[in-house]
Amino acid sequence: RTGRVEATGSLTWDDLTEDELRGHVFANGFFGVGNGIALTFKLESVSDNDYLATYGFPDRSRLENSLRLSRTTADGFFDAGITSFSSLRETERDRTLPNRVVDGQFVRRFSNDVFGGIAQVRVDTLGYLREEDTPGTLPENGRPLATDAARISGVLDWRRTETLRNGLEIHHEAVAP
C-alpha cells in the first residue's frame, strides 16, 4: 500500500562449479513510512564472483546493499543511510576496502526576522569502516596506508535579495563553514 519492490534474479543448476545451486538477486524498494518519511533499500547478491559474467548478465565490479531514510519538506531535508559494498574483482580484497559506509545530510532553512532573507543550516556526515587495515604504512608518519575514517561538516549561510526602485537587484550573502 505504501511502497513498491522491484526484484530480478536467476537460479541455475549446473556443473560448471562445485556449487550445486548458483544464482543472483537484485532488488530495489521504496516505502512511505508516515509523516513524509521515505524508506528505500537496495539489495544485490550473487552466489559467486563469476556468476553474472558466466550467464551473460551485465558484468559488475561491485555489489551494493543499502538502507536509507529521508524526508523532504518545504523548509528542510534529511537523508541518512548505511551502505555495504562487496567487490567481485579477483584483485580486490573486501576486508581492506572501505565497504561499510554510514552517511547523512540535514538541511534546514528558516526566515531570518532580524536581517531579513533566508538562513540555512547544513550538516553532512560520512564514515566508513574496513574489516582490516591495508597492509603497509605511510613513510612520513608510520600510519597504516588505509584505515577507517569519519567526518562531520557544517555550513551556516544567509542570503537576502533587495530590488531597488530602478530595478537594480542587490544580493547580500554570508557563509560560515
Side-chain angles (χ1 to χ4, degrees):
R1 290 181 132 191
T2 64
R4 66 182 180 276
V5 174
E6 180 181 313
T8 60
S10 64
L11 188 61
T12 62
W13 293 266
D14 60 34
D15 57 2
L16 298 176
T17 67
E18 292 180 16
D19 298 327
E20 204 171 290
L21 288 175
R22 298 173 74 200
H24 87 285
V25 63
F26 293 164
N28 292 297
F30 169 87
F31 295 93
V33 294
N35 202 23
I37 298 172
L39 170 73
T40 59
F41 72 87
K42 182 177 202 174
L43 170 70
E44 298 180 337
S45 181
V46 295
S47 59
D48 58 85
N49 291 0
D50 298 322
Y51 182 81
L52 297 174
T54 299
Y55 288 97
F57 292 103
D59 200 13
R60 315 264 311 256
S61 58
R62 289 190 179 90
L63 300 177
E64 178 182 338
N65 294 286
S66 64
L67 182 64
R68 303 200 72 76
L69 282 173
S70 63
R71 181 174 188 237
T72 302
T73 63
D75 58 357
F77 173 74
F78 168 80
D79 178 67
I82 56 174
T83 305
S84 171
F85 297 100
S86 58
S87 178
L88 297 178
R89 296 178 179 169
E90 286 188 32
T91 58
E92 293 180 333
R93 292 183 51 224
D94 273 338
R95 298 182 63 77
T96 58
L97 295 174
N99 54 10
R100 293 173 293 191
V101 178
V102 177
D103 68 305
Q105 182 180 65
F106 172 80
V107 178
R108 174 84 165 123
R109 289 187 195 160
F110 50 93
S111 297
N112 186 325
D113 294 333
V114 176
F115 299 108
I118 301 289
Q120 177 175 281
V121 174
R122 178 182 178 136
V123 178
D124 293 295
T125 62
L126 174 68
Y128 58 82
L129 301 171
R130 304 166 194 266
E131 290 181 44
E132 63 185 54
D133 293 339
T134 301
T137 58
L138 295 169
E140 62 272 8
N141 59 21
R143 291 186 178 158
L145 285 173
T147 61
D148 302 338
R151 72 153 173 80
I152 184 169
S153 60
V155 174
L156 171 62
D157 75 19
W158 164 79
R159 298 167 192 219
R160 184 177 81 189
T161 301
E162 294 180 66
T163 305
L164 302 179
R165 282 193 210 158
N166 63 2
L168 183 65
E169 282 190 356
I170 299 175
H171 299 276
H172 306 277
E173 185 173 319
V175 177

